[in-house]
Amino acid sequence: MIKNILIGCLVAFGVLLILLAIGGFLFYRYLLSPRLKMPPGLKTPAVLTGSQFMSKSLFIEDSRLGDVTDIARGEFDQKAGPEIGVVGSRGALFVDEFGNILSSVLFGADAEHVDIVDVEGDGICEFMNRGCWSYDASLIDHKGNVIWTYGGSSGVDDMAAGDLDGDGVLEFVVGFNGAGGVHLLSNTGVKKWNQSDGNVWHVEVVDTDGDGLSEIVHSNAGGQITVRDKRGNIISQVDPAAYFSDFSLCRWPTHKDRDFALLAEDDKIWLFDFNGKVVAQFDAPHCGTLGHARGTPVRFKSDEPPYLAVVVEFSNWERSILYVYDASGNLIYQEIIAEACPSIAALALHSPTEETLLVGGEEKVWQYEATSSNADNGG
């Protein structure tokens, strides 16, 4: 009897030590570190590498946008033909390839990170507010009105959308801070199920195995890549080579290839498959551990393979770093940007075979194009 009690006490003590270690790490990473001084490498905005490689100009600037969190091309309303949707924390603008405004939407309430979505697949877009600690997640209609909100006492970390049951209508997956776990919502915001987990920093819905069906992928307090099926059951849970927290999805090496998980950690950009295998790794000076990376292939020249462009956002210090890598993984462009830039896209604006890189910042979108000298020199 005494032996069993001692064993139980030792097990409980071991679990407590593990929880304290994880808690201390998370306290440092997400509460204490943001209060530290800005790293020296982020202080001075400048092009550090490849100043002759790209030209930079303003694509659009409008205070109605807020922080630009999504840039996409598609048919977003009943008008004929595609347009470019530029979505921010305050509203959205629909523009042509030159940045001329075609229409606009103002949101009825401030949001955090907003993505453009089409819930019913009817060609009329809605807007998904992914939420954060200070904002509940929400769905916003085409006119900017909030359809529903969803939150909880532990606070929303993130929300993603996808068609998990194959009926052509999106469901929504919400990841919570603390012990709130993972919740699945219908398109009307009604909870279908919830599963336990701790500090679900980021969540996505993606086809992880190429079978044409989507799964749920999220991070957690343990830094694990967790894959769940449509019922929330864990398919796999692995510890990748870097702490897995604020990731994003990125097709690589071209737009036609599969999605991977993109992460900035330990002064490197990582691409993981959803089994935790390192698919690619790129040197990323000054990116540290506290940035949120988003990336895209970009074909600057029709006769060259695509480059990989990655923007790492540091919302704590209102800074970002833009990296561009060639097909061999060499860093050929690096810029410290004096604002938080939470979105990136590569779109064929003026040529069907060559793309412009668009980076969304504070009330504006920057555009980057390969310089003529780069073209003359073959890249």
Side-chain angles (χ1 to χ4, degrees):
M1 181 68 177
I2 295 175
K3 181 179 179 181
N4 291 338
I5 292 174
L6 289 174
I7 292 174
C9 290
L10 288 172
V11 170
F13 182 69
V15 170
L16 179 61
L17 287 178
I18 293 171
L19 291 175
L20 286 173
I22 293 175
F25 173 77
L26 297 175
F27 176 79
Y28 172 79
R29 182 183 179 92
Y30 289 99
L31 295 179
L32 182 60
S33 290
R35 295 186 176 92
L36 298 178
K37 292 182 180 180
M38 182 187 298
L42 297 179
K43 286 185 177 180
T44 305
V47 176
L48 304 182
T49 302
S51 59
Q52 302 301 312
F53 179 75
M54 293 192 300
S55 63
K56 178 182 180 180
S57 59
L58 194 63
F59 179 68
I60 191 171
E61 183 172 17
D62 197 300
S63 62
R64 292 174 291 180
L65 288 167
D67 297 332
V68 177
T69 55
D70 195 17
I71 305 165
R73 176 174 242 158
E75 297 188 12
F76 301 121
D77 53 29
Q78 295 178 332
K79 298 176 183 176
E83 51 196 344
I84 299 167
V86 180
V87 186
S89 54
R90 298 181 196 144
L93 301 178
F94 299 95
V95 305
D96 64 17
E97 64 271 24
F98 299 101
N100 299 313
I101 298 173
L102 305 175
S103 61
S104 62
V105 176
L106 290 178
F107 299 151
D110 284 346
E112 176 62 16
H113 190 107
V114 183
D115 289 343
I116 195 165
V117 295
D118 183 354
V119 176
E120 296 89 7
D122 58 2
I124 300 175
C125 75
E126 291 83 25
F127 306 95
M128 178 183 65
N129 169 31
R130 301 184 75 119
C132 70
W133 282 0
S134 55
Y135 289 95
D136 286 343
S138 61
L139 182 65
I140 302 168
D141 71 15
H142 190 71
K143 296 181 179 179
N145 303 308
V146 176
I147 301 172
W148 51 259
T149 61
Y150 193 81
S153 59
S154 60
V156 170
D157 279 337
D158 192 32
M159 181 167 75
D163 182 9
L164 286 165
D165 56 13
D167 66 352
V169 178
L170 301 184
E171 290 82 42
F172 295 83
V173 184
V174 184
F176 279 88
N177 191 47
V182 184
H183 297 201
L184 180 70
L185 313 181
S186 70
N187 66 305
T188 59
V190 176
K191 184 172 73 172
K192 291 186 170 184
W193 52 252
N194 64 276
Q195 298 285 358
S196 299
D197 212 323
N199 293 328
V200 180
W201 307 119
H202 190 86
V203 61
E204 295 288 352
V205 178
V206 61
D207 180 1
T208 61
D209 51 14
D211 66 354
L213 302 175
S214 293
E215 291 81 35
I216 299 164
V217 180
H218 66 81
S219 53
N220 61 17
Q224 298 169 308
I225 300 176
T226 302
V227 181
R228 296 179 184 267
D229 65 19
K230 63 182 180 181
R231 296 178 181 85
N233 300 313
I234 293 177
I235 299 172
S236 65
Q237 193 169 58
V238 296
D239 295 294
Y243 185 84
F244 195 69
S245 56
D246 289 325
F247 70 100
S248 62
L249 298 179
C250 178
R251 292 187 181 274
W252 186 81
T254 75
H255 295 295
K256 296 181 179 180
D257 286 291
R258 61 173 294 188
D259 277 303
F260 294 101
L262 179 74
L263 183 75
E265 187 79 8
D266 301 326
D267 284 340
K268 295 186 184 297
I269 302 298
W270 305 78
L271 281 170
F272 292 102
D273 71 12
F274 300 104
N275 294 314
K277 178 184 175 182
V278 177
V279 177
Q281 182 179 310
F282 307 89
D283 290 332
H286 307 303
C287 86
T289 62
L290 292 174
H292 192 156
R294 300 171 178 92
T296 179
V298 52
R299 187 178 292 276
F300 285 118
K301 295 298 174 184
S302 58
D303 58 349
E304 296 177 357
Y307 295 79
L308 176 66
V310 178
V311 65
V312 182
E313 173 202 12
F314 301 90
S315 57
N316 299 314
W317 301 299
E318 297 296 318
R319 287 290 189 272
S320 300
I321 308 179
L322 176 63
Y323 303 94
V324 179
Y325 302 92
D326 66 17
S328 299
N330 301 306
L331 177 62
I332 49 94
Y333 185 88
Q334 182 183 5
E335 179 186 359
I336 309 296
I337 305 174
E339 58 189 305
C341 296
S343 58
I344 189 169
L347 301 179
L349 297 182
H350 311 301
S351 164
T353 58
E354 297 179 353
E355 294 176 321
T356 298
L357 183 66
L358 300 177
V359 176
E362 298 170 2
E363 302 181 351
K364 67 178 74 70
V365 175
W366 296 106
Q367 65 177 359
Y368 293 82
E369 296 178 295
T371 62
S372 57
S373 59
N374 175 55
D376 293 341
N377 294 329

